[in-house]
Amino acid sequence: MAFSADELRVLRRALSAVLYPAPLQDEDVRDALRLAEAVDEAAREAGRLRAFLLDDLARYREALPGSLGGYLELLQDALAAGYDPGADDLAALRALREVPAAEALLTRCQVIAEASVRARLARVSGAAATAVPGSRARLLALPGGRAAGDDPKPTPPAPAERPVPKPNEVFPPRRRPVPPPPPEERAAG
């Protein structure tokens, strides 16, 4: 995204107003709002262009191998725009390995796809590490700090948790039913 000289002046005035709060003139406010609208429109246009590019790429991929040249060119454009190649792209490029340009692009896409997967796994594992429930987190220090003469090694407090019941406490053993007396004892009684 590029700004014109006038837009840069408006941006500079807006940043100055944020850093050094002072009453703004009406003209400065209108200019900043127009610039914000222009930036929003540019972002929407970039999104529409990306969606069009990805739809076009999917159409070319479905028409392979007849659309080989166009597909490779569109895929390179998409990669330059930050596209992460999907499984369909990798499969299509593997099927076209005999073409040197497709082989080179396959290598590039595999590197990008692997980096993308690693980044997603790192985000997921990082989120999982920070999402430890409070009841399971170890409390190593209490608010208020420790006095100068205290033991330097923190000791975790012993939480007053209810012990886990044993299976026979939750599910008591079944009592075996007493078999009925034999028929001749029933008649005598």
Side-chain angles (χ1 to χ4, degrees):
M1 182 179 296
F3 292 105
S4 70
D6 288 335
E7 291 171 334
L8 285 176
R9 279 192 281 281
V10 170
L11 186 59
R12 192 180 84 205
R13 284 194 314 257
L15 289 174
S16 176
V18 169
L19 292 174
Y20 307 105
L24 295 175
Q25 297 177 4
D26 289 343
E27 183 182 340
D28 289 342
V29 172
R30 282 191 297 273
D31 289 343
L33 289 173
R34 276 196 297 271
L35 179 61
E37 288 173 8
V39 169
D40 289 344
E41 178 58 32
R44 285 190 297 271
E45 182 62 29
R48 286 190 293 266
L49 182 60
R50 180 177 171 79
F52 175 77
L53 177 65
L54 295 180
D55 287 344
D56 214 16
L57 182 64
R59 282 192 294 276
Y60 273 78
R61 185 176 49 241
E62 289 170 6
L64 284 173
S67 63
L68 177 64
Y71 174 70
L72 295 179
E73 184 179 327
L74 280 174
L75 184 57
Q76 288 176 348
D77 290 346
L79 292 174
Y83 173 68
D84 286 336
D88 293 339
D89 296 309
L90 295 173
L93 290 172
R94 282 188 193 107
L96 301 168
R97 276 192 167 154
E98 66 274 358
V99 178
E103 177 69 29
L105 201 52
L106 173 62
T107 303
R108 181 177 170 200
C109 285
Q110 286 173 329
V111 169
I112 293 170
E114 182 178 335
S116 175
V117 167
R118 287 182 189 274
R120 279 193 306 252
L121 288 175
R123 280 193 307 268
V124 168
S125 65
T130 59
V132 175
S135 64
R136 298 203 187 264
R138 294 186 66 183
L139 180 63
L140 298 178
L142 296 174
R146 66 174 184 219
D150 285 351
D151 184 16
K153 288 179 14 180
T155 56
E161 291 183 14
R162 205 170 101 201
V164 177
K166 297 176 185 168
N168 65 351
E169 294 172 344
V170 176
F171 305 106
R174 285 185 163 174
R175 304 231 160 132
R176 295 187 183 166
V178 178
E184 55 272 349
E185 287 181 16
R186 273 190 266 162

